[in-house]
C-alpha cells in the first residue's frame, strides 16, 4: 500500500494559521454564501485517518458542532494522559517518535494520513515526512500569530501540481514533495 502524509490547511498571506490569540475567525473573512468547502470534501474522502496535535484536538473539541470526522483520529500529546470520555472511540492518544507513531498507525491499516496542526505539521516537515501540501491562502495579513512553517534542518523541494481560485479571492495550491 502506498503511504502518504498529506496536509490541507489555510494560512494568512503572511503565513499564519492562527492570530496572536490563537483565533481563527479570520478564516471566514471572505463571504461564502454557498458554503463552498474549497475542496475539503474531496480531500478528506481520500484519507484513511487523521494525525493531529493536542492543541488542534482541543480546538476541534471546542467547536459547537458534532464530531466532524468519520475516520480514526490519532492525537499526539506528551501532556494528555487520556482522551476525554466524551471523545472515547472517536480519537486515540499516541506517543513516541514520529516513526514509531507512523508504524503503529500503518500496522492498523491506515496509510493515507491527514496531518493537522501547526506544531505537528512542523514536526513532520522537520523529519521530511510530508508528501503533499494543500495550502489555501486567505487574503489577509495578520501581522503575527502562529506560523505554519518553522526552521528546517535542510531544504525541502516541492512542486506545485495544481492551483485553484475560490470565491474570486482565495488561492489554493497543491504541492507534492520532490524526492
Amino acid at each position: 500500500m502506498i503511504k502518504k502524509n498529506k496536509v490541507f490547511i489555510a494560512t494568512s498571506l503572511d503565513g499564519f494559521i492562527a492570530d496572536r490569540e490563537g483565533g481563527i475567525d479570520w478564516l471566514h473573512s471572505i463571504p461564502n454564501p454557498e458554503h463552498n468547502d474549497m475542496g475539503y470534501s474531496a480531500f478528506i474522502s481520500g484519507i484513511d485517518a487523521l494525525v493531529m496535535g493536542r492543541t488542534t484536538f482541543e480546538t476541534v473539541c471546542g467547536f459547537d458542532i458534532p464530531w466532524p470526522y468519520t475516520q480514526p483520529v490519532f492525537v499526539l500529546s506528551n501532556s494528555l494522559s487520556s482522551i476525554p470520555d466524551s471523545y472515547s472511540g472517536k480519537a486515540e492518544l499516541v506517543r513516541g517518535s514520529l516513526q514509531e507513531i507512523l508504524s503503529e498507525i500503518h500496522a492498523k491499516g491506515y496509510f493515507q494520513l491527514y496531518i493537522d496542526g501547526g506544531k505537528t505539521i512542523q514536526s513532520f516537515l522537520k523529519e521530511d515526512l510530508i508528501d503533499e501540501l494543500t495550502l489555501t491562502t486567505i487574503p489577509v495579513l495578520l501581522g503575527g500569530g502562529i506560523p505554519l512553517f518553522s526552521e528546517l534542518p535542510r531544504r525541502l523541494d516541492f512542486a506545485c501540481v495544481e492551483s485553484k481560485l475560490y470565491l474570486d479571492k482565495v488561492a489554493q495550491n497543491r504541492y507534492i514533495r520532490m524526492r
Side-chain angles (χ1 to χ4, degrees):
M1 183 63 166
I2 295 174
K3 301 172 188 173
K4 285 199 175 180
N5 299 323
K6 302 176 182 183
V7 171
F8 189 101
I9 198 163
T11 70
S12 62
L13 276 174
D14 45 357
F16 296 102
I17 58 171
D19 64 23
R20 286 183 174 94
E21 290 78 40
I24 57 172
D25 292 346
W26 57 273
L27 289 171
H28 305 288
S29 60
I30 304 298
N32 187 358
E34 295 181 21
H35 306 289
N36 185 321
D37 75 355
M38 298 183 215
Y40 179 78
S41 294
F43 171 81
I44 201 78
S45 70
I47 294 300
D48 296 332
L50 290 85
V51 179
M52 66 178 62
R54 177 193 51 83
T55 303
T56 301
F57 173 68
E58 289 174 347
T59 299
V60 172
C61 291
F63 293 154
D64 190 23
I65 60 171
W67 185 245
Y69 308 111
T70 56
Q71 299 90 338
V73 174
F74 296 93
V75 180
L76 306 175
S77 177
N78 292 319
S79 60
L80 285 177
S81 57
S82 64
I83 295 292
D85 289 342
S86 57
Y87 295 96
S88 179
K90 297 176 182 172
E92 180 180 331
L93 193 60
V94 289
R95 288 194 172 92
S97 71
L98 293 183
Q99 291 293 349
E100 291 167 340
I101 290 166
L102 287 173
S103 292
E104 179 183 335
I105 294 169
H106 293 153
K108 293 179 180 194
Y110 307 118
F111 302 101
Q112 299 294 310
L113 305 179
Y114 175 7
I115 311 304
D116 198 16
K119 290 179 185 171
T120 301
I121 293 167
Q122 290 174 7
S123 295
F124 272 72
L125 284 167
K126 283 180 182 170
E127 294 192 30
D128 195 8
L129 294 171
I130 297 294
D131 302 296
E132 185 177 306
L133 290 163
T134 300
L135 303 178
T136 303
T137 305
I138 308 300
V140 61
L141 293 170
L142 296 177
I146 299 171
L148 174 57
F149 299 111
S150 64
E151 284 198 30
L152 297 171
R154 65 185 177 95
R155 182 175 116 179
L156 303 178
D157 293 323
F158 286 81
C160 185
V161 295
E162 185 177 24
S163 293
K164 294 182 179 179
L165 185 64
Y166 291 102
L167 308 174
D168 295 323
K169 294 175 183 67
V170 177
Q172 183 180 84
N173 293 298
R174 187 166 65 90
Y175 302 92
I176 56 169
R177 177 74 172 95
M178 303 302 294
R179 298 188 194 276

